[in-house]
């Protein structure tokens, strides 16, 4: 059994910051010990002096190879999980998709076929339900039992992923009974599609109109409706990619009422804005995602929500499309721009930058990026912390390194960076996944197929 010892670092978890040595044995954390007192020996010693020792990031919202708008997200499970590791993320939960007329099982099988044997880090699946029928409702119970314990429903994208309120209510009733978590894309897609049509008729075809028609109020309205439907059924609700201040207010009100309602935001909403969507020469298309980027003024509410726990998780919604050949599908018609942005490699660094800037504390960084996403989706104990018995998914993080984000240097399979030229302080140095080196002093030493499929438990936020 290989023994690894990480010495001299500052171990940061959601709960503590302690100077400790970390002993890893057989892929798991064996013990934490006071430096200089324990006498442990190991096959491999990693010097973490002046560095942070943090749990590997847990990104619970990615879309590798997602079919969207006539094309596919450009990261495969192989490239996307390597990029994740480069950025200090050691677990992803991706979204398997049920196609219309098909079973949940068929969707899940298709996603296993894409991912199994290809991932550099561990991975699990949520299930996107695009066809809520008697049959798929029954299948939900089986999926929860076998480790796919969360279901994403869409109030947007009529004709594609959209579910109506009756379908949503039925899926929520089922989740309330079987322990599943309902994840919601909360935007009023029926109303948005009318506004899209009207904008195009007026000749408003540039990327920035994507942001104008997908109104904050229509995110807030859908968030409110989803909360009320969840309340009627008793189901827990996790609202994905929250971007509007008014939607945060809906979540805060529901949480003040004591409802099991949770919210996630993403780095793009914290660091980018409609100014990016308005970039000339169609460059704004790089920032087209849904929910859309909002005017800068919304960012304060998102940061506040993260501090007050009205928002609990930051994930990426990593869904990259190349500018050349993919985003370009929407030249002359913003509604044809594939929705999504790259970011799986950038999340831990951007959130560390928020620590540097004093927006969140170091422990809150680990809480929103590692511990809470693991707890939320039934992975905690194994993932999301550094404690005896946990998987040895560990990142040695240099908090003093300076880096400039760029498509020239990133590892995501996409031809642009949403943060091109952005200077941040802090960088991943070494990454272990279940005790095995994936990144060794900024060299990739992992392999496709090391990543194991994670059958998840139910959310640890449910009673
Ligand atoms: N939003 C995106 O930006 N891309 C994929 C699906 C989604 O909901
Ligand atoms: Zn979505
Ligand atoms: Zn998504």
């Amino acid at each position: 059994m290989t023994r690894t010892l990480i010495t001299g670092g500052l171990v940061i978890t959601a709960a503590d910051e302690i100077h400790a040595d970390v002993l890893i044995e057989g892929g798991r954390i064996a013990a934490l010990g006071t430096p200089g007192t324990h006498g442990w020996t190991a096959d491999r010693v990693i010097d973490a002096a002046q560095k942070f020792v943090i749990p590997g990031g847990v990104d619970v919202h990615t879309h590798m190879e997602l079919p969207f708008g006539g094309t596919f997200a450009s990261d495969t499970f192989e490239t996307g999980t390597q990029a994740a590791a480069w950025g200090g993320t050691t677990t992803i939960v991706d979204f398997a998709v049920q196609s219309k007329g098909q079973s949940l099982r068929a969707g899940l099988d298709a996603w296993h076929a894409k991912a199994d044997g290809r991932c550099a880090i561990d991975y699990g699946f949520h299930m996107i339900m695009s066809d809520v029928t008697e049959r798929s409702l029954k299948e939900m119970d089986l999926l929860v039992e076998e480790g796919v314990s969360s279901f994403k429903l869409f109030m947007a994208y009529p004709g594609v992923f959209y579910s109506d309120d009756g379908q949503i209510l039925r899926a929520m009733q089922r989740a309330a009974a079987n322990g599943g978590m309902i994840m919601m894309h909360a935007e009023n897609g029926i109303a948005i599609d009318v506004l899209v049509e009207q904008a195009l008729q007026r000749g408003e075809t540039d990327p920035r109109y994507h942001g104008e028609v997908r109104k904050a109020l229509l995110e807030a309205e859908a968030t409110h409706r989803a909360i009320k439907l969840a309340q009627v059924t008793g189901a827990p609700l996790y609202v994905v990619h929250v971007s509007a201040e008014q939607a945060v207010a809906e979540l805060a009100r529901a949480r003040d009422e004591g409802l099991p309602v949770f919210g996630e935001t993403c780095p793009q909403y914290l660091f980018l804005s409609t100014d990016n969507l308005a970039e000339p020469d169609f460059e704004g298309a790089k920032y087209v995602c849904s929910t859309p980027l909002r005017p800068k003024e919304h960012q304060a509410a998102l940061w506040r929500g993260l501090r007050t726990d009205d928002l609990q998780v930051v994930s990426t919604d990593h869904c990259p499309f190349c500018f050349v050949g993919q985003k370009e599908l929407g030249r002359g018609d913003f509604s044809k721009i594939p929705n999504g942005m790259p970011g799986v490699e950038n999340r831990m660094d951007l959130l560390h930058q928020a620590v540097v800037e004093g927006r969140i504390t170091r422990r809150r960084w680990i809480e929103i990026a590692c511990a809470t996403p693991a707890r939320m989706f039934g992975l905690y104990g194994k993932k999301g912390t550094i404690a005896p018995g946990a998987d040895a998914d560990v990142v040695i993080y240099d908090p003093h390194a300076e880096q400039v984000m760029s498509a020239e240097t990133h590892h995501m399979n996409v031809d642009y960076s949403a943060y091109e030229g952005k200077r941040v302080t802090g960088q991943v140095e070494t990454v272990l996944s279940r005790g095995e080196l994936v990144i060794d002093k900024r060299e990739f030493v992992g392999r496709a197929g090391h990543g194991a499929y994670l059958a998840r438990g139910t959310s640890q936020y449910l009673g």
Side-chain angles (χ1 to χ4, degrees):
M1 212 186 283
T2 312
R3 280 163 66 99
T4 302
L5 184 60
I6 304 172
T7 60
L10 179 67
V11 177
I12 308 173
T13 65
D16 296 301
E17 299 184 16
I18 47 171
H19 286 282
D21 293 348
V22 180
L23 182 66
I24 296 168
E25 225 171 40
R28 297 215 174 138
I29 308 289
L32 276 71
T34 308
T37 64
H38 48 66
W40 293 330
T41 56
D43 310 294
R44 177 168 58 213
V45 177
I46 299 173
D47 177 8
Q50 314 299 322
K51 310 280 159 61
F52 294 163
V53 179
I54 60 173
V58 178
D59 189 345
V60 292
H61 193 151
T62 68
H63 298 283
M64 308 304 172
E65 303 178 44
L66 178 77
F68 193 100
T71 185
F72 287 83
S74 58
D75 260 319
T76 62
F77 279 88
E78 185 167 341
T79 62
T81 55
Q82 285 190 21
W86 274 104
T89 285
T90 52
T91 302
I92 60 163
V93 187
D94 202 271
F95 289 81
V97 180
Q98 176 204 24
S99 306
K100 281 228 181 303
Q102 288 207 331
S103 63
L104 301 186
R105 171 73 52 203
L108 192 55
D109 288 348
W111 255 255
H112 272 295
K114 292 177 205 251
D116 293 356
R118 298 194 172 87
C119 294
I121 55 164
D122 292 355
Y123 63 101
F125 293 126
H126 312 285
M127 189 81 225
I128 286 179
M129 295 183 74
S130 354
D131 204 358
V132 178
T133 60
E134 272 311 309
R135 178 174 164 209
S136 51
L137 286 166
K138 286 204 185 89
E139 281 190 286
M140 289 173 77
D141 300 355
L142 297 173
L143 262 57
V144 171
E145 276 171 28
E146 65 183 64
V148 180
S149 53
S150 36
F151 303 89
K152 186 178 177 192
L153 297 166
F154 286 77
M155 302 168 101
Y157 303 127
V160 190
F161 297 126
Y162 175 82
S163 293
D164 66 28
D165 289 356
Q167 291 173 310
I168 289 169
L169 190 87
R170 282 182 200 279
M172 286 177 164
Q173 286 171 331
R174 203 83 191 190
N178 68 21
M181 173 70 83
I182 295 294
M183 305 174 79
M184 189 62 74
H185 180 127
E187 286 188 292
N188 185 329
I190 301 284
I192 285 169
D193 276 10
V194 173
L195 298 180
V196 169
E197 199 185 306
Q198 292 170 345
L200 291 173
Q201 274 166 4
R202 286 193 297 270
E204 296 169 351
T205 61
D206 288 348
R208 70 187 166 99
Y209 295 107
H210 172 84
E212 293 197 6
V213 297
R214 302 189 86 92
K215 294 191 178 301
L217 284 179
L218 295 176
E219 182 188 342
E221 183 277 328
T223 304
H224 178 82
R225 188 158 31 102
I227 290 167
K228 291 298 147 193
L229 292 170
Q231 192 174 5
V232 165
T233 63
L237 174 70
Y238 176 96
V239 182
V240 296
H241 49 54
V242 174
S243 64
E245 177 175 11
Q246 298 90 329
V248 180
E250 296 291 346
L251 294 171
R253 186 170 331 133
R255 291 179 59 79
D256 288 349
E257 289 172 20
L259 298 174
V261 168
F262 308 96
E264 158 202 282
T265 190
C266 311
Q268 52 270 35
Y269 308 120
L270 295 163
F271 290 93
L272 305 173
S273 73
T274 44
D275 293 352
N276 299 96
L277 269 175
E279 285 178 15
D281 302 327
F282 196 63
E283 294 275 315
K286 295 176 176 174
Y287 308 93
V288 164
C289 58
S290 297
T291 59
L293 302 185
R294 301 293 180 196
K296 269 198 190 73
E297 295 67 46
H298 290 254
Q299 291 173 354
L302 298 176
W303 287 116
R304 189 171 57 242
L306 285 172
R307 283 192 295 272
T308 59
D309 209 36
D310 286 322
L311 298 171
Q312 297 79 34
V313 172
V314 175
S315 66
T316 58
D317 200 0
H318 176 75
C319 190
F321 297 100
C322 288
F323 184 69
V324 176
Q326 292 194 295
K327 290 289 187 181
E328 282 181 335
L329 294 168
R331 270 195 201 275
D333 179 349
F334 69 83
S335 73
K336 296 204 164 63
I337 301 169
N339 285 200
M341 285 177 53
V344 76
E345 191 171 346
N346 305 128
R347 181 184 68 131
M348 296 299 284
D349 288 331
L350 288 167
L351 291 177
H352 179 259
Q353 184 60 22
V355 173
V356 171
E357 291 171 6
R359 295 181 186 280
I360 52 173
T361 65
R362 291 195 288 221
R363 274 171 284 142
R364 186 64 176 156
W365 170 41
I366 301 308
E367 190 164 35
I368 62 183
C370 311
T372 301
R375 278 190 207 283
M376 191 67 71
F377 294 105
L379 292 167
Y380 193 75
K382 204 172 156 65
K383 307 295 186 190
T385 193
I386 296 180
D391 282 356
D393 291 6
V394 181
V395 174
I396 316 300
Y397 195 83
D398 182 349
H400 307 295
E402 302 276 329
Q403 59 164 313
V404 179
M405 292 181 169
S406 173
E408 299 281 303
T409 47
H410 76 199
H411 303 85
M412 298 176 284
N413 184 39
V414 61
D415 62 0
Y416 72 95
S417 169
Y419 306 97
E420 189 65 41
K422 185 173 176 64
R423 286 180 176 278
V424 296
T425 303
Q427 192 169 46
V428 168
E429 187 176 282
T430 290
V431 177
L432 295 130
S433 163
R434 279 177 284 108
E436 285 189 28
L437 283 166
V438 182
I439 306 288
D440 186 11
K441 298 204 181 69
R442 296 212 58 74
E443 185 191 340
F444 183 79
V445 294
R447 64 180 170 85
H450 162 81
Y453 172 69
L454 297 164
R456 296 180 292 114
T458 52
S459 174
Q460 286 146 315
Y461 281 94
L462 308 178

